mmCIF file of all heavy atoms in Angstrom:
data_model
loop_
_atom_site.group_PDB
_atom_site.id
_atom_site.type_symbol
_atom_site.label_atom_id
_atom_site.label_comp_id
_atom_site.label_asym_id
_atom_site.label_seq_id
_atom_site.Cartn_x
_atom_site.Cartn_y
_atom_site.Cartn_z
ATOM 1 N N ARG C 11 11.959 -7.642 4.058
ATOM 2 C CA ARG C 11 11.336 -8.536 5.006
ATOM 3 C C ARG C 11 9.948 -9.003 4.539
ATOM 4 O O ARG C 11 9.069 -9.242 5.317
ATOM 5 C CB ARG C 11 11.186 -7.867 6.380
ATOM 6 C CG ARG C 11 12.479 -7.388 6.977
ATOM 7 C CD ARG C 11 12.232 -6.862 8.382
ATOM 8 N NE ARG C 11 13.382 -6.099 8.946
ATOM 9 C CZ ARG C 11 13.307 -5.463 10.073
ATOM 10 N NH1 ARG C 11 12.226 -5.428 10.843
ATOM 11 N NH2 ARG C 11 14.396 -4.758 10.515
ATOM 12 N N LYS C 12 9.791 -9.049 3.217
ATOM 13 C CA LYS C 12 8.554 -9.454 2.568
ATOM 14 C C LYS C 12 7.332 -8.546 3.028
ATOM 15 O O LYS C 12 6.199 -8.990 3.143
ATOM 16 C CB LYS C 12 8.154 -10.933 2.948
ATOM 17 C CG LYS C 12 9.219 -11.938 2.450
ATOM 18 C CD LYS C 12 8.838 -13.341 2.739
ATOM 19 C CE LYS C 12 9.903 -14.293 2.231
ATOM 20 N NZ LYS C 12 9.566 -15.700 2.501
ATOM 21 N N GLU C 13 7.629 -7.242 3.127
ATOM 22 C CA GLU C 13 6.687 -6.279 3.511
ATOM 23 C C GLU C 13 6.740 -5.117 2.562
ATOM 24 O O GLU C 13 7.684 -4.989 1.779
ATOM 25 C CB GLU C 13 6.895 -5.729 4.965
ATOM 26 C CG GLU C 13 6.678 -6.795 6.025
ATOM 27 C CD GLU C 13 6.967 -6.266 7.456
ATOM 28 O OE1 GLU C 13 7.862 -5.383 7.567
ATOM 29 O OE2 GLU C 13 6.337 -6.743 8.400
ATOM 30 N N VAL C 14 5.697 -4.225 2.620
ATOM 31 C CA VAL C 14 5.695 -3.012 1.786
ATOM 32 C C VAL C 14 5.370 -1.818 2.685
ATOM 33 O O VAL C 14 4.625 -1.930 3.701
ATOM 34 C CB VAL C 14 4.667 -3.093 0.667
ATOM 35 C CG1 VAL C 14 5.099 -4.096 -0.391
ATOM 36 C CG2 VAL C 14 3.251 -3.360 1.175
ATOM 37 N N TYR C 15 5.940 -0.706 2.315
ATOM 38 C CA TYR C 15 5.480 0.604 2.899
ATOM 39 C C TYR C 15 4.352 1.055 1.938
ATOM 40 O O TYR C 15 4.494 1.015 0.695
ATOM 41 C CB TYR C 15 6.592 1.651 2.851
ATOM 42 C CG TYR C 15 7.763 1.335 3.725
ATOM 43 C CD1 TYR C 15 9.032 1.113 3.124
ATOM 44 C CD2 TYR C 15 7.651 1.222 5.116
ATOM 45 C CE1 TYR C 15 10.140 0.825 3.898
ATOM 46 C CE2 TYR C 15 8.766 0.934 5.872
ATOM 47 C CZ TYR C 15 10.010 0.713 5.251
ATOM 48 O OH TYR C 15 11.120 0.481 6.039
ATOM 49 N N TRP C 16 3.238 1.548 2.473
ATOM 50 C CA TRP C 16 2.094 1.876 1.670
ATOM 51 C C TRP C 16 1.259 2.947 2.288
ATOM 52 O O TRP C 16 1.288 3.256 3.449
ATOM 53 C CB TRP C 16 1.241 0.588 1.413
ATOM 54 C CG TRP C 16 0.546 0.130 2.635
ATOM 55 C CD1 TRP C 16 1.052 -0.595 3.633
ATOM 56 C CD2 TRP C 16 -0.840 0.357 2.975
ATOM 57 N NE1 TRP C 16 0.118 -0.831 4.637
ATOM 58 C CE2 TRP C 16 -1.097 -0.273 4.243
ATOM 59 C CE3 TRP C 16 -1.920 1.093 2.321
ATOM 60 C CZ2 TRP C 16 -2.372 -0.233 4.792
ATOM 61 C CZ3 TRP C 16 -3.157 1.087 2.897
ATOM 62 C CH2 TRP C 16 -3.348 0.431 4.159
ATOM 63 N N ALA C 17 0.452 3.571 1.385
ATOM 64 C CA ALA C 17 -0.561 4.519 1.813
ATOM 65 C C ALA C 17 -1.647 4.614 0.780
ATOM 66 O O ALA C 17 -1.392 4.252 -0.402
ATOM 67 C CB ALA C 17 0.069 5.903 2.073
ATOM 68 N N ARG C 18 -2.812 5.106 1.213
ATOM 69 C CA ARG C 18 -3.991 5.252 0.181
ATOM 70 C C ARG C 18 -4.081 6.698 -0.131
ATOM 71 O O ARG C 18 -3.748 7.592 0.612
ATOM 72 C CB ARG C 18 -5.284 4.789 0.878
ATOM 73 C CG ARG C 18 -5.316 3.390 1.181
ATOM 74 C CD ARG C 18 -6.639 2.993 1.848
ATOM 75 N NE ARG C 18 -7.769 3.113 0.873
ATOM 76 C CZ ARG C 18 -8.669 2.176 0.685
ATOM 77 N NH1 ARG C 18 -8.621 1.035 1.308
ATOM 78 N NH2 ARG C 18 -9.664 2.370 -0.127
ATOM 79 N N TYR C 19 -4.578 6.998 -1.368
ATOM 80 C CA TYR C 19 -4.756 8.383 -1.894
ATOM 81 C C TYR C 19 -6.048 8.521 -2.555
ATOM 82 O O TYR C 19 -6.585 7.623 -3.191
ATOM 83 C CB TYR C 19 -3.609 8.623 -2.925
ATOM 84 C CG TYR C 19 -2.277 8.732 -2.278
ATOM 85 C CD1 TYR C 19 -1.574 7.598 -1.990
ATOM 86 C CD2 TYR C 19 -1.662 9.929 -1.911
ATOM 87 C CE1 TYR C 19 -0.311 7.631 -1.355
ATOM 88 C CE2 TYR C 19 -0.448 10.001 -1.292
ATOM 89 C CZ TYR C 19 0.262 8.878 -1.023
ATOM 90 O OH TYR C 19 1.426 8.911 -0.381
ATOM 91 N N GLU C 20 -6.679 9.722 -2.329
ATOM 92 C CA GLU C 20 -7.892 10.043 -3.034
ATOM 93 C C GLU C 20 -7.524 10.519 -4.470
ATOM 94 O O GLU C 20 -8.302 10.301 -5.437
ATOM 95 C CB GLU C 20 -8.600 11.213 -2.355
ATOM 96 C CG GLU C 20 -9.320 10.773 -1.087
ATOM 97 C CD GLU C 20 -10.469 9.692 -1.381
ATOM 98 O OE1 GLU C 20 -11.079 9.850 -2.464
ATOM 99 O OE2 GLU C 20 -10.507 8.759 -0.701
ATOM 100 N N ASP C 21 -6.379 11.162 -4.638
ATOM 101 C CA ASP C 21 -5.816 11.551 -5.952
ATOM 102 C C ASP C 21 -4.376 11.792 -5.761
ATOM 103 O O ASP C 21 -3.796 11.554 -4.698
ATOM 104 C CB ASP C 21 -6.617 12.867 -6.450
ATOM 105 C CG ASP C 21 -6.513 14.007 -5.436
ATOM 106 O OD1 ASP C 21 -5.415 14.341 -4.943
ATOM 107 O OD2 ASP C 21 -7.595 14.548 -5.142
ATOM 108 N N GLY C 22 -3.740 12.338 -6.780
ATOM 109 C CA GLY C 22 -2.317 12.415 -6.774
ATOM 110 C C GLY C 22 -1.752 13.437 -5.719
ATOM 111 O O GLY C 22 -0.528 13.465 -5.437
ATOM 112 N N ARG C 23 -2.556 14.267 -5.198
ATOM 113 C CA ARG C 23 -2.148 15.257 -4.190
ATOM 114 C C ARG C 23 -2.676 15.028 -2.775
ATOM 115 O O ARG C 23 -2.310 15.710 -1.842
ATOM 116 C CB ARG C 23 -2.590 16.636 -4.639
ATOM 117 C CG ARG C 23 -1.934 17.198 -5.890
ATOM 118 C CD ARG C 23 -2.452 18.519 -6.274
ATOM 119 N NE ARG C 23 -1.688 19.120 -7.383
ATOM 120 C CZ ARG C 23 -1.945 18.861 -8.642
ATOM 121 N NH1 ARG C 23 -2.894 18.114 -8.973
ATOM 122 N NH2 ARG C 23 -1.228 19.481 -9.582
ATOM 123 N N THR C 24 -3.586 14.002 -2.603
ATOM 124 C CA THR C 24 -4.319 13.923 -1.391
ATOM 125 C C THR C 24 -4.201 12.504 -0.798
ATOM 126 O O THR C 24 -4.777 11.514 -1.236
ATOM 127 C CB THR C 24 -5.844 14.196 -1.559
ATOM 128 O OG1 THR C 24 -5.973 15.426 -2.227
ATOM 129 C CG2 THR C 24 -6.540 14.298 -0.241
ATOM 130 N N ARG C 25 -3.365 12.417 0.309
ATOM 131 C CA ARG C 25 -3.233 11.101 0.975
ATOM 132 C C ARG C 25 -4.280 11.003 2.078
ATOM 133 O O ARG C 25 -4.634 11.975 2.721
ATOM 134 C CB ARG C 25 -1.863 11.023 1.587
ATOM 135 C CG ARG C 25 -1.653 9.794 2.474
ATOM 136 C CD ARG C 25 -0.162 9.488 2.636
ATOM 137 N NE ARG C 25 0.726 10.624 2.820
ATOM 138 C CZ ARG C 25 0.995 11.166 4.012
ATOM 139 N NH1 ARG C 25 0.369 10.717 5.130
ATOM 140 N NH2 ARG C 25 1.821 12.195 4.088
ATOM 141 N N THR C 26 -4.838 9.786 2.229
ATOM 142 C CA THR C 26 -5.853 9.530 3.268
ATOM 143 C C THR C 26 -5.197 8.666 4.321
ATOM 144 O O THR C 26 -4.946 7.503 4.132
ATOM 145 C CB THR C 26 -7.105 8.898 2.700
ATOM 146 O OG1 THR C 26 -6.713 7.670 2.096
ATOM 147 C CG2 THR C 26 -7.747 9.743 1.635
ATOM 148 N N GLY C 27 -4.933 9.204 5.498
ATOM 149 C CA GLY C 27 -4.245 8.393 6.572
ATOM 150 C C GLY C 27 -2.798 8.485 6.455
ATOM 151 O O GLY C 27 -2.203 9.092 5.596
ATOM 152 N N GLU C 28 -2.126 7.828 7.430
ATOM 153 C CA GLU C 28 -0.700 7.867 7.506
ATOM 154 C C GLU C 28 -0.074 6.648 6.810
ATOM 155 O O GLU C 28 -0.718 5.612 6.682
ATOM 156 C CB GLU C 28 -0.288 7.836 8.987
ATOM 157 C CG GLU C 28 -0.694 9.099 9.721
ATOM 158 C CD GLU C 28 -0.086 10.373 9.143
ATOM 159 O OE1 GLU C 28 1.101 10.282 8.875
ATOM 160 O OE2 GLU C 28 -0.836 11.319 8.959
ATOM 161 N N PRO C 29 1.174 6.749 6.383
ATOM 162 C CA PRO C 29 1.891 5.590 5.776
ATOM 163 C C PRO C 29 1.994 4.453 6.838
ATOM 164 O O PRO C 29 2.081 4.706 8.002
ATOM 165 C CB PRO C 29 3.259 6.163 5.428
ATOM 166 C CG PRO C 29 3.049 7.647 5.306
ATOM 167 C CD PRO C 29 2.036 7.963 6.316
ATOM 168 N N ALA C 30 2.066 3.244 6.311
ATOM 169 C CA ALA C 30 2.140 2.069 7.168
ATOM 170 C C ALA C 30 3.124 1.093 6.538
ATOM 171 O O ALA C 30 3.438 1.146 5.350
ATOM 172 C CB ALA C 30 0.756 1.466 7.423
ATOM 173 N N VAL C 31 3.464 0.041 7.294
ATOM 174 C CA VAL C 31 4.245 -1.076 6.812
ATOM 175 C C VAL C 31 3.546 -2.376 7.153
ATOM 176 O O VAL C 31 3.124 -2.560 8.303
ATOM 177 C CB VAL C 31 5.671 -1.019 7.356
ATOM 178 C CG1 VAL C 31 5.707 -1.091 8.839
ATOM 179 C CG2 VAL C 31 6.529 -2.168 6.735
ATOM 180 N N ASP C 32 3.321 -3.216 6.132
ATOM 181 C CA ASP C 32 2.550 -4.445 6.322
ATOM 182 C C ASP C 32 2.973 -5.489 5.335
ATOM 183 O O ASP C 32 3.564 -5.177 4.266
ATOM 184 C CB ASP C 32 1.042 -4.183 6.168
ATOM 185 C CG ASP C 32 0.422 -3.441 7.363
ATOM 186 O OD1 ASP C 32 0.286 -3.957 8.371
ATOM 187 O OD2 ASP C 32 0.124 -2.222 7.123
ATOM 188 N N ARG C 33 2.591 -6.708 5.588
ATOM 189 C CA ARG C 33 2.775 -7.808 4.618
ATOM 190 C C ARG C 33 1.674 -7.591 3.501
ATOM 191 O O ARG C 33 0.536 -7.314 3.847
ATOM 192 C CB ARG C 33 2.648 -9.171 5.233
ATOM 193 C CG ARG C 33 3.872 -9.525 6.134
ATOM 194 C CD ARG C 33 3.719 -10.970 6.690
ATOM 195 N NE ARG C 33 4.884 -11.342 7.390
ATOM 196 C CZ ARG C 33 5.982 -11.867 6.922
ATOM 197 N NH1 ARG C 33 5.969 -12.164 5.606
ATOM 198 N NH2 ARG C 33 7.012 -12.198 7.657
ATOM 199 N N PRO C 34 2.054 -7.826 2.235
ATOM 200 C CA PRO C 34 1.062 -7.572 1.194
ATOM 201 C C PRO C 34 -0.221 -8.394 1.356
ATOM 202 O O PRO C 34 -1.289 -7.877 1.145
ATOM 203 C CB PRO C 34 1.836 -8.053 -0.029
ATOM 204 C CG PRO C 34 3.302 -7.728 0.262
ATOM 205 C CD PRO C 34 3.415 -8.103 1.748
ATOM 206 N N ALA C 35 -0.107 -9.647 1.796
ATOM 207 C CA ALA C 35 -1.295 -10.519 1.966
ATOM 208 C C ALA C 35 -2.219 -9.892 3.024
ATOM 209 O O ALA C 35 -3.456 -10.103 2.947
ATOM 210 C CB ALA C 35 -0.905 -11.875 2.338
ATOM 211 N N ASP C 36 -1.651 -9.164 3.972
ATOM 212 C CA ASP C 36 -2.529 -8.620 5.007
ATOM 213 C C ASP C 36 -3.283 -7.376 4.612
ATOM 214 O O ASP C 36 -4.329 -7.039 5.266
ATOM 215 C CB ASP C 36 -1.678 -8.291 6.262
ATOM 216 C CG ASP C 36 -1.010 -9.461 6.900
ATOM 217 O OD1 ASP C 36 -1.544 -10.593 6.686
ATOM 218 O OD2 ASP C 36 0.002 -9.299 7.641
ATOM 219 N N ILE C 37 -2.982 -6.738 3.555
ATOM 220 C CA ILE C 37 -3.617 -5.537 3.105
ATOM 221 C C ILE C 37 -4.319 -5.723 1.721
ATOM 222 O O ILE C 37 -4.926 -4.786 1.242
ATOM 223 C CB ILE C 37 -2.722 -4.274 3.051
ATOM 224 C CG1 ILE C 37 -1.526 -4.555 2.154
ATOM 225 C CG2 ILE C 37 -2.282 -3.952 4.484
ATOM 226 C CD1 ILE C 37 -0.641 -3.323 1.932
ATOM 227 N N ALA C 38 -4.138 -6.928 1.143
ATOM 228 C CA ALA C 38 -4.669 -7.133 -0.181
ATOM 229 C C ALA C 38 -6.136 -6.958 -0.281
ATOM 230 O O ALA C 38 -6.695 -6.332 -1.199
ATOM 231 C CB ALA C 38 -4.291 -8.538 -0.680
ATOM 232 N N GLU C 39 -6.892 -7.418 0.756
ATOM 233 C CA GLU C 39 -8.347 -7.293 0.761
ATOM 234 C C GLU C 39 -8.742 -5.796 0.870
ATOM 235 O O GLU C 39 -9.680 -5.335 0.265
ATOM 236 C CB GLU C 39 -8.941 -8.145 1.889
ATOM 237 C CG GLU C 39 -10.448 -8.054 1.886
ATOM 238 C CD GLU C 39 -11.034 -8.984 2.936
ATOM 239 O OE1 GLU C 39 -10.299 -9.807 3.567
ATOM 240 O OE2 GLU C 39 -12.308 -8.892 3.178
ATOM 241 N N ALA C 40 -7.999 -5.053 1.803
ATOM 242 C CA ALA C 40 -8.341 -3.664 1.914
ATOM 243 C C ALA C 40 -8.135 -2.840 0.671
ATOM 244 O O ALA C 40 -8.801 -1.864 0.516
ATOM 245 C CB ALA C 40 -7.508 -3.091 3.137
ATOM 246 N N LEU C 41 -7.144 -3.276 -0.087
ATOM 247 C CA LEU C 41 -6.864 -2.539 -1.314
ATOM 248 C C LEU C 41 -7.391 -3.171 -2.574
ATOM 249 O O LEU C 41 -7.063 -2.705 -3.694
ATOM 250 C CB LEU C 41 -5.324 -2.375 -1.489
ATOM 251 C CG LEU C 41 -4.594 -1.640 -0.340
ATOM 252 C CD1 LEU C 41 -3.091 -1.516 -0.629
ATOM 253 C CD2 LEU C 41 -5.240 -0.288 -0.089
ATOM 254 N N ALA C 42 -8.252 -4.170 -2.418
ATOM 255 C CA ALA C 42 -8.783 -4.875 -3.590
ATOM 256 C C ALA C 42 -9.555 -3.872 -4.498
ATOM 257 O O ALA C 42 -10.350 -3.077 -4.010
ATOM 258 C CB ALA C 42 -9.707 -5.948 -3.099
ATOM 259 N N GLY C 43 -9.338 -3.974 -5.800
ATOM 260 C CA GLY C 43 -9.959 -3.164 -6.795
ATOM 261 C C GLY C 43 -9.262 -1.868 -7.036
ATOM 262 O O GLY C 43 -9.664 -1.068 -7.915
ATOM 263 N N LEU C 44 -8.224 -1.515 -6.189
ATOM 264 C CA LEU C 44 -7.533 -0.268 -6.382
ATOM 265 C C LEU C 44 -6.271 -0.459 -7.198
ATOM 266 O O LEU C 44 -5.545 -1.443 -6.977
ATOM 267 C CB LEU C 44 -7.107 0.353 -5.085
ATOM 268 C CG LEU C 44 -8.263 0.896 -4.117
ATOM 269 C CD1 LEU C 44 -7.636 1.409 -2.859
ATOM 270 C CD2 LEU C 44 -9.081 1.935 -4.822
ATOM 271 N N PRO C 45 -5.913 0.419 -8.142
ATOM 272 C CA PRO C 45 -4.609 0.431 -8.694
ATOM 273 C C PRO C 45 -3.578 0.722 -7.622
ATOM 274 O O PRO C 45 -3.860 1.465 -6.641
ATOM 275 C CB PRO C 45 -4.644 1.608 -9.688
ATOM 276 C CG PRO C 45 -6.101 1.966 -9.876
ATOM 277 C CD PRO C 45 -6.814 1.605 -8.567
ATOM 278 N N VAL C 46 -2.430 0.093 -7.685
ATOM 279 C CA VAL C 46 -1.336 0.286 -6.714
ATOM 280 C C VAL C 46 -0.087 0.691 -7.469
ATOM 281 O O VAL C 46 0.386 -0.052 -8.334
ATOM 282 C CB VAL C 46 -1.047 -0.970 -5.913
ATOM 283 C CG1 VAL C 46 -0.054 -0.735 -4.785
ATOM 284 C CG2 VAL C 46 -2.405 -1.410 -5.145
ATOM 285 N N VAL C 47 0.423 1.807 -7.095
ATOM 286 C CA VAL C 47 1.602 2.354 -7.782
ATOM 287 C C VAL C 47 2.891 2.007 -7.034
ATOM 288 O O VAL C 47 2.894 1.985 -5.790
ATOM 289 C CB VAL C 47 1.476 3.914 -7.829
ATOM 290 C CG1 VAL C 47 2.789 4.593 -8.328
ATOM 291 C CG2 VAL C 47 0.280 4.359 -8.630
ATOM 292 N N GLY C 48 4.007 1.716 -7.778
ATOM 293 C CA GLY C 48 5.238 1.588 -7.122
ATOM 294 C C GLY C 48 5.818 0.151 -7.220
ATOM 295 O O GLY C 48 5.166 -0.826 -7.568
ATOM 296 N N ALA C 49 7.098 0.017 -6.760
ATOM 297 C CA ALA C 49 7.792 -1.192 -6.831
ATOM 298 C C ALA C 49 7.171 -2.305 -5.951
ATOM 299 O O ALA C 49 7.276 -3.493 -6.244
ATOM 300 C CB ALA C 49 9.249 -1.024 -6.469
ATOM 301 N N GLY C 50 6.554 -1.896 -4.913
ATOM 302 C CA GLY C 50 5.876 -2.854 -4.017
ATOM 303 C C GLY C 50 4.762 -3.631 -4.731
ATOM 304 O O GLY C 50 4.594 -4.833 -4.560
ATOM 305 N N ALA C 51 4.068 -2.987 -5.619
ATOM 306 C CA ALA C 51 3.005 -3.590 -6.372
ATOM 307 C C ALA C 51 3.565 -4.540 -7.385
ATOM 308 O O ALA C 51 3.051 -5.686 -7.613
ATOM 309 C CB ALA C 51 2.191 -2.546 -7.055
ATOM 310 N N VAL C 52 4.706 -4.211 -7.965
ATOM 311 C CA VAL C 52 5.321 -5.042 -9.000
ATOM 312 C C VAL C 52 5.891 -6.316 -8.335
ATOM 313 O O VAL C 52 5.834 -7.412 -8.917
ATOM 314 C CB VAL C 52 6.446 -4.262 -9.685
ATOM 315 C CG1 VAL C 52 7.227 -5.162 -10.676
ATOM 316 C CG2 VAL C 52 5.906 -3.067 -10.461
ATOM 317 N N LEU C 53 6.395 -6.180 -7.162
ATOM 318 C CA LEU C 53 6.997 -7.303 -6.431
ATOM 319 C C LEU C 53 6.020 -8.397 -5.976
ATOM 320 O O LEU C 53 6.336 -9.545 -5.848
ATOM 321 C CB LEU C 53 7.784 -6.861 -5.209
ATOM 322 C CG LEU C 53 9.158 -6.199 -5.447
ATOM 323 C CD1 LEU C 53 9.653 -5.571 -4.167
ATOM 324 C CD2 LEU C 53 10.146 -7.216 -5.947
ATOM 325 N N TYR C 54 4.777 -7.921 -5.704
ATOM 326 C CA TYR C 54 3.763 -8.796 -5.171
ATOM 327 C C TYR C 54 2.477 -8.778 -5.988
ATOM 328 O O TYR C 54 1.402 -8.293 -5.559
ATOM 329 C CB TYR C 54 3.484 -8.459 -3.685
ATOM 330 C CG TYR C 54 4.722 -8.477 -2.822
ATOM 331 C CD1 TYR C 54 5.393 -7.310 -2.542
ATOM 332 C CD2 TYR C 54 5.212 -9.631 -2.401
ATOM 333 C CE1 TYR C 54 6.490 -7.350 -1.663
ATOM 334 C CE2 TYR C 54 6.340 -9.735 -1.606
ATOM 335 C CZ TYR C 54 6.979 -8.537 -1.236
ATOM 336 O OH TYR C 54 8.182 -8.611 -0.471
ATOM 337 N N PRO C 55 2.519 -9.329 -7.191
ATOM 338 C CA PRO C 55 1.360 -9.233 -8.123
ATOM 339 C C PRO C 55 0.179 -9.990 -7.623
ATOM 340 O O PRO C 55 -0.972 -9.661 -7.984
ATOM 341 C CB PRO C 55 1.940 -9.802 -9.419
ATOM 342 C CG PRO C 55 3.103 -10.678 -9.065
ATOM 343 C CD PRO C 55 3.682 -9.977 -7.821
#
């Protein structure tokens, strides 16, 4: 549905907050400057 499941991490073992589902454009600013891991990042460069 042109959305991604996503979450932020402090490191490989520490998630900050709960997973969410959003349109990539709606979270792009919040995640600006961060590496993004996974197929969702590849689909929406």
Side-chain angles (χ1 to χ4, degrees):
R11 304 184 192 175
K12 298 182 180 180
E13 294 178 330
V14 293
Y15 298 116
W16 69 282
R18 297 178 68 128
Y19 291 81
E20 284 300 318
D21 54 51
R23 293 178 173 86
T24 310
R25 175 160 39 89
T26 57
E28 296 300 315
V31 58
D32 288 287
R33 289 183 176 272
D36 293 340
I37 59 174
E39 184 176 349
L41 301 183
L44 292 180
V46 183
V47 173
V52 176
L53 282 171
Y54 302 101

